[in-house]
Amino acid sequence: MAYQSKLLVIPWHLIVVFFLLSLGILVIGYFYYDRQLSHIKQEKKDELAAILRLKVNQVESWRQERLADARVIFEDRFFALKVKELLTGRGTLENKEEILNRLAALRFYQYEYIALLDARGDLKLSFPEEKVFSSFIMEQAKEAMQTQKIIFTDLYRSENDNVIRQSLIVPIICAYGLNKDAVGVVVLRINPYQFLYPLIQLWPTPSHTAETELLRREGSEVVILNELRHRQGTALTLRFPLTAPELVAAKAARGEKANVEGRDYRGVSVLGAIGEIPDSPWFLTAEVDTQEVLAPVWKYFQLMALLTVTLITCAGMGLALIWRNQHATFYRRQFEMERDKRVLAQRYEYLTKYANDIILLADQDLKFVEGNDRAVASYGYEREELLKLSIKDLHPPESQLLLDEKLQHAEGQDGQIFETSQLRKDGTIFPAEISLRLMEVEGQKFYQEIIRDITERKLAEESLRGLTAELLNAQETERQRISLLLHDDLGQALLVLQFQLNTINNKLQKDNNILSIDCEDLLDYITGLIEKVRQLSRDLNPPTILKELGLSNALRYSIEEFSSHYDIRQNHINIDEIDNLFLERAKINIYRIVQEALSNIGRHSKASEITVEIKNKDNNVSFMIEDNGKGFDLTRVFSRKTTSTGVGIPAIKERVRILGGSIDIWSQKGSGTRITINIPLDAK
C-alpha cells in the first residue's frame, strides 16, 4: 500500500515547469506568427500599389491614343473641306472614294464602327453599314457640333442592341476667316471587349483571386464598368450604394486612395489599392482575396504549431517518465501490439508473405487500412501512425499532381506503373517505382500500392551518367589532339607541297602550256584541300573558334557553314549575345549540342529550311532549333533497344544533363522536328 501511495504522488513542481514552458512557447509562437502576418500583408499591399499604377498608366495611355486619333481628324482642314463638298452635294466620285478610304483606314485602330453624319444628324457613310443610331449618340453628336469640341463618351449600353460601347464624337469644322462652322461629325465607336476590358482584366502575376475593377460614381451609387473575374454579366449592371462601409468600390467612389482593406462585391475580405484615371470619371481598384494573401502565413502557423506541439509533448513525456506506471503502460502496449500483429497477420497474410516490396492497401478515401512490415520499416512510422495516414501523405508536394493523374486511371487489370518519390516520417525522400491499381475485395473497392525502393538503381544510373560524361570529355580531348595533328602536321605538309608545286610551275617553260595548266589545277586542288583540313581542324577543336569569334558568333558561323554545305535555307535566325554567360567547358558543350543538332538535320531530315532562336531570359538561355523535314516517330525511336539509329540525340541529351538543363523534342512525320533546350546560367 505504501508503495502504491508513492506511485500516486503528483510532482507538482514539474507540472508548474511544464505549464510555464508551454506558455512561453505559445507566446513566442504568437509573436512570430503576428510578425509574419504583418510582413506578408505589407508586401502584398506594395505589389497591389505597383500593379494599380501600371494599370492606370495603361488605361490613360489607351485613352490618349484614342484622343490622338480623333485630333488627327479634327485638325485636318483639307479633310473637312472634302467632307463639306460631299455633304453639300458638290463632291466628286473621287472625293467620296478618298473620304471612304480615309475612314476605312481608321478601323485598324481598335474601332469596330465608323460613321459620317451631316449637320442635321443624317448618316452619310459608315463602316460597316448600319442605319440606326442610338439617341445617346445623336445627342452627343449635336453637342459636339454646337461646342465644336471632341467628345469622348463614357461607357454606355446602346438601346438598339443592348451592347456596351464607347464612342469618340469628332466634329468636322470648316473655317472662314474668323468664322467656324460644323458641317458634320465622325463617330468612332469602340468595343471595350476587344481591348479595354482585356487590358483591365489581365493580371501580371500568378493569382487565382486577384482582379481589377473599373468603376464610376452615379449619384448615390457606384457602378462597375467592366466584366469581373468571379461573376459574369456585371458590366454597367452591378451597382452598390456609396454608403456601403466595407466595400472597396464604394471607398474608391467616396474619394479614398492608396491601400485599403475591406470587402469586394462577393462580400469576401480583400486587400485593395485605389486610383483614378486622369481626365476621366473613372476609378480603378486592384484587389486580391485576403485568404490568398495569408496562405503563406498558414505554413508558418503549421510550423509553429508543429514546433509547439513537439516541445509540449517532449515536456509531457518528461513528466510521464516520473510516473511509476510507465512500465505497466509500456508492457500493456506491447501486449496489445503483439495481439494486433497476430490478428493482422492472420487476416492479411498475403501482404507479408514472401513480399520484399512495400505493400499498402487504402480505401476509396485513400486512407490506409493495411500495410506490410516492409512499409513500416521503410517509412519509419509505427503501424498505428501509418494507418492514420493516406496515400497522399507519403507523396511529397512535387509529386501530388502525378499521383492525382494516376489515381484517375488506376482502375483496370494492369493499373498504373510509374516512378515517383516517397516521403518518410523523418522528412527524407527516396525514389520509388509504384504499381497502383483499384481492386474490389468482398464488394468494397481498395487501392493497392506495391512500392519498390529504387535508390540503388538510381545511383547506378547516376554512376553510368558520370561515366558517359567522362567519355564525352575524353572524346573532346581526343578531338582536340587530332585537330592539332591535322593543323600542325598535315596542314604544314600540304603547305610545303603547295609551295614546291608553285616553284615548279614558275620554272616551267612558257611553251609547255599543257603541263603548266595541269600544275595549276593541282595547285587549286591542294588549296581547296588545305581549306578543308583547316575547316575540319576548327570543327574538331571548338575552343579555337570560340576564342576567335565568341560563342554567339561561333554559333552563327556554324549555322552559315551548315546552310552552305547542305544547301538549306535559313528561315529565321535570331541569336542573343551570350558570350559572357557561361564558363569555357559549358561553351564547348553548348557549341557541340548545336553542332550535333544541325548535323542530324543535314544527315536525316531532308529539310529545305531551318529556324534557330537563342534567347537569354530570366536565369536561363533557351535554344530552339526547328526544321521542316520529314520528321520521325518519337515513341518508336526512343523505344528502340539497339544503337542502329546512332548517338546523335542521346549525346545531345547527355550534354544537356551535364549542363543541368532540360530538353524537349517534338517531331511528327511529314511535319519536321523541333528541339527546345533550356540551360541555366550557372551551368558548368
Side-chain angles (χ1 to χ4, degrees):
M1 293 296 294
Y3 179 72
Q4 292 180 353
S5 301
K6 292 179 66 178
L7 289 177
L8 295 175
V9 174
I10 300 176
W12 291 107
H13 62 288
L14 292 178
I15 294 176
V16 171
V17 172
F18 169 74
F19 278 105
L20 289 176
L21 181 61
S22 300
L23 180 61
I25 293 171
L26 290 172
V27 170
I28 294 173
Y30 170 77
F31 280 110
Y32 178 77
Y33 171 79
D34 185 67
R35 180 179 178 184
Q36 293 299 322
L37 178 65
S38 301
H39 176 69
I40 290 176
K41 272 189 175 183
Q42 188 58 47
E43 280 189 341
K44 182 54 69 174
K45 288 179 179 179
D46 294 341
E47 179 184 324
L48 286 173
I51 292 174
L52 181 71
R53 288 194 297 271
L54 171 66
K55 290 296 180 183
V56 168
N57 291 336
Q58 289 176 336
V59 174
E60 183 184 7
S61 297
W62 177 82
R63 286 177 57 86
Q64 293 301 323
E65 289 172 2
R66 304 287 74 74
L67 286 170
D69 294 340
R71 281 193 291 270
V72 170
I73 299 174
F74 181 74
E75 296 172 357
D76 192 341
R77 301 308 175 200
F78 293 103
F79 178 73
L81 292 174
K82 292 176 183 177
V83 170
K84 182 179 180 181
E85 291 176 358
L86 175 66
L87 296 181
T88 56
R90 293 184 288 108
T92 63
L93 182 61
E94 181 181 358
N95 188 12
K96 182 177 181 180
E97 287 295 327
E98 195 171 334
I99 295 173
L100 284 171
N101 293 334
R102 176 70 179 276
L103 296 179
L106 288 173
R107 290 203 64 198
F108 294 98
Y109 297 93
Q110 303 178 18
Y111 302 110
E112 67 166 4
Y113 175 76
I114 301 174
L116 174 64
L117 284 70
D118 62 14
R120 294 177 299 177
D122 295 333
L123 179 64
K124 296 301 181 181
L125 296 173
S126 67
F127 298 93
E129 292 188 3
E130 184 177 311
K131 298 182 179 179
V132 181
F133 267 98
S134 67
S135 58
F136 173 75
I137 292 300
M138 297 301 295
E139 293 174 359
Q140 297 296 317
K142 292 178 180 178
E143 182 179 347
M145 286 189 288
Q146 290 174 358
T147 61
Q148 297 187 2
K149 293 182 179 180
I150 298 171
I151 296 178
F152 197 169
T153 73
D154 205 338
L155 292 165
Y156 64 92
R157 190 178 294 275
S158 174
E159 67 254 20
N160 298 328
D161 51 15
N162 201 34
V163 175
I164 298 174
R165 295 190 173 97
Q166 190 175 14
S167 297
L168 275 163
I169 314 298
V170 186
I172 306 300
I173 308 299
C174 286
Y176 305 95
L178 298 177
N179 297 323
K180 295 181 180 179
D181 292 330
V183 298
V185 294
V186 172
V187 179
L188 305 176
R189 197 168 71 193
I190 302 168
N191 183 354
Y193 288 92
Q194 290 181 348
F195 187 85
L196 179 60
Y197 284 174
L199 175 68
I200 294 171
Q201 292 166 344
L202 181 65
W203 196 262
T205 60
S207 174
H208 60 274
T209 65
E211 64 177 328
T212 309
E213 296 178 13
L214 184 68
L215 50 99
R216 72 183 177 214
R217 179 174 179 171
E218 288 187 4
S220 61
E221 293 182 323
V222 58
V223 182
I224 304 299
L225 301 181
N226 64 309
E227 297 292 347
L228 298 175
R229 181 175 190 171
H230 306 291
R231 188 181 298 179
Q232 299 299 319
T234 56
L236 292 181
T237 60
L238 188 60
R239 296 169 176 265
F240 297 97
L242 287 176
T243 55
E246 295 296 323
L247 186 68
V248 174
K251 291 182 179 183
R254 290 197 300 265
E256 295 188 29
K257 297 182 180 180
N259 295 319
V260 295
E261 295 187 28
R263 297 190 177 275
D264 66 357
Y265 56 91
R266 301 167 295 160
V268 176
S269 176
V270 296
L271 294 181
I274 298 173
E276 297 182 16
I277 305 300
D279 301 322
S280 78
W282 292 349
F283 299 91
L284 200 63
T285 66
E287 302 172 7
V288 63
D289 287 5
T290 305
Q291 184 177 2
E292 179 183 339
V293 175
L294 300 184
V297 180
W298 177 242
K299 296 181 180 179
Y300 295 110
F301 176 79
Q302 289 177 314
L303 177 63
M304 292 306 303
L306 178 62
L307 182 60
T308 300
V309 170
T310 302
L311 293 176
I312 293 175
T313 302
C314 290
M317 290 298 296
L319 181 64
L321 289 174
I322 302 176
W323 295 92
R324 295 296 185 91
N325 61 355
Q326 177 190 6
H327 294 293
T329 303
F330 174 76
Y331 286 122
R332 183 171 63 253
R333 289 180 58 194
Q334 288 295 107
F335 172 78
E336 292 174 353
M337 289 175 60
E338 291 296 329
R339 182 188 62 188
D340 292 342
K341 284 182 180 179
R342 288 195 299 270
V343 173
L344 292 173
Q346 294 172 359
R347 293 178 59 187
Y348 305 100
E349 184 177 358
Y350 69 96
L351 286 175
T352 57
K353 191 175 182 179
Y354 309 122
N356 291 323
D357 293 330
I358 300 167
I359 302 176
L360 293 167
L361 200 65
D363 60 19
Q364 286 186 283
D365 295 328
L366 306 182
K367 296 291 185 181
F368 291 126
V369 297
E370 189 49 70
N372 64 352
D373 293 342
R374 185 62 181 269
V376 174
S378 297
Y379 291 106
Y381 289 99
E382 294 292 337
R383 182 175 297 278
E384 292 82 2
E385 294 177 318
L386 185 63
L387 296 182
K388 292 179 181 178
L389 303 177
S390 69
I391 291 178
K392 290 190 175 183
D393 292 330
L394 300 182
H395 286 256
E398 59 268 19
S399 66
Q400 293 290 338
L401 290 178
L402 176 62
L403 175 63
D404 291 339
E405 177 186 349
K406 299 302 180 183
L407 286 170
Q408 293 176 1
H409 303 88
E411 193 168 2
Q413 183 177 359
D414 296 329
Q416 296 287 311
I417 299 176
F418 59 100
E419 289 187 7
T420 185
S421 301
Q422 292 287 276
L423 184 65
R424 296 188 179 95
K425 179 181 179 180
D426 60 2
T428 58
I429 295 175
F430 65 93
E433 181 181 72
I434 298 180
S435 173
L436 173 68
R437 58 175 47 84
L438 182 64
M439 61 184 186
E440 188 171 336
V441 180
E442 297 180 356
Q444 293 185 345
K445 290 186 177 182
F446 296 89
Y447 288 98
Q448 182 193 53
E449 281 190 310
I450 301 177
I451 304 169
R452 176 168 296 175
D453 188 341
I454 57 173
T455 301
E456 294 183 1
R457 184 202 300 178
K458 291 296 183 181
L459 290 174
E461 291 175 356
E462 188 64 29
S463 182
L464 181 60
R465 290 193 185 100
L467 179 59
T468 304
E470 292 180 4
L471 289 175
L472 288 174
N473 289 334
Q475 182 187 60
E476 199 65 49
T477 301
E478 183 63 17
R479 284 176 171 177
Q480 293 180 14
R481 187 185 67 83
I482 295 173
S483 171
L484 291 175
L485 289 175
L486 288 173
H487 183 273
D488 295 343
D489 296 346
L490 182 57
Q492 293 298 327
L494 290 173
L495 286 173
V496 171
L497 180 59
Q498 183 187 40
F499 177 76
Q500 292 177 345
L501 280 173
N502 192 47
T503 302
I504 293 172
N505 185 37
N506 292 333
K507 293 181 178 179
L508 288 174
Q509 298 295 329
K510 293 184 179 180
D511 57 350
N512 198 345
N513 291 332
I514 296 177
L515 186 58
S516 178
I517 291 172
D518 290 342
C519 193
E520 289 178 357
D521 290 341
L522 185 57
L523 280 170
D524 292 339
Y525 177 77
I526 292 175
T527 300
L529 188 59
I530 290 172
E531 184 58 32
K532 288 181 180 179
V533 169
R534 288 175 177 173
Q535 178 64 39
L536 181 59
S537 176
R538 284 195 297 268
D539 290 343
L540 289 172
N541 192 8
T544 301
I545 190 172
L546 290 174
K547 185 175 180 181
E548 293 176 356
L549 303 179
L551 179 56
S552 299
N553 288 330
L555 294 177
R556 293 188 185 96
Y557 175 78
S558 181
I559 295 169
E560 291 288 343
E561 288 291 316
F562 163 80
S563 300
S564 174
H565 181 75
Y566 289 102
D567 193 22
I568 294 178
R569 187 172 68 89
Q570 300 177 32
N571 179 39
H572 176 69
I573 308 297
N574 189 357
I575 301 177
D576 286 352
E577 201 64 36
I578 59 173
D579 289 349
N580 300 320
L581 300 182
F582 300 102
L583 299 178
E584 192 66 30
R585 176 57 62 184
K587 290 181 181 179
I588 294 175
N589 277 323
I590 291 171
Y591 182 82
R592 287 297 188 200
I593 288 170
V594 176
Q595 192 179 49
E596 188 65 46
L598 294 174
S599 179
N600 285 344
I601 293 173
R603 291 198 302 265
H604 307 299
S605 72
K606 297 183 179 179
S608 61
E609 62 182 37
I610 60 167
T611 298
V612 180
E613 285 191 356
I614 302 176
K615 295 290 185 182
N616 176 16
K617 52 184 178 181
D618 300 331
N619 294 320
N620 293 272
V621 175
S622 65
F623 299 77
M624 192 279 289
I625 302 173
E626 184 176 11
D627 67 74
N628 66 341
K630 63 181 183 180
F632 59 89
D633 187 344
L634 281 170
T635 305
R636 184 178 179 185
V637 169
F638 289 143
S639 64
R640 291 177 180 172
K641 296 183 179 179
T642 66
T643 59
S644 60
T645 59
V647 296
I649 291 179
I652 292 174
K653 294 176 71 175
E654 182 58 30
R655 290 186 186 275
V656 171
R657 187 200 65 80
I658 292 172
L659 294 170
S662 62
I663 182 172
D664 177 68
I665 302 176
W666 175 91
S667 185
Q668 187 174 351
K669 285 190 173 181
S671 299
T673 302
R674 181 174 62 251
I675 298 177
T676 304
I677 299 168
N678 284 292
I679 298 176
L681 296 183
D682 56 358
K684 299 180 180 180

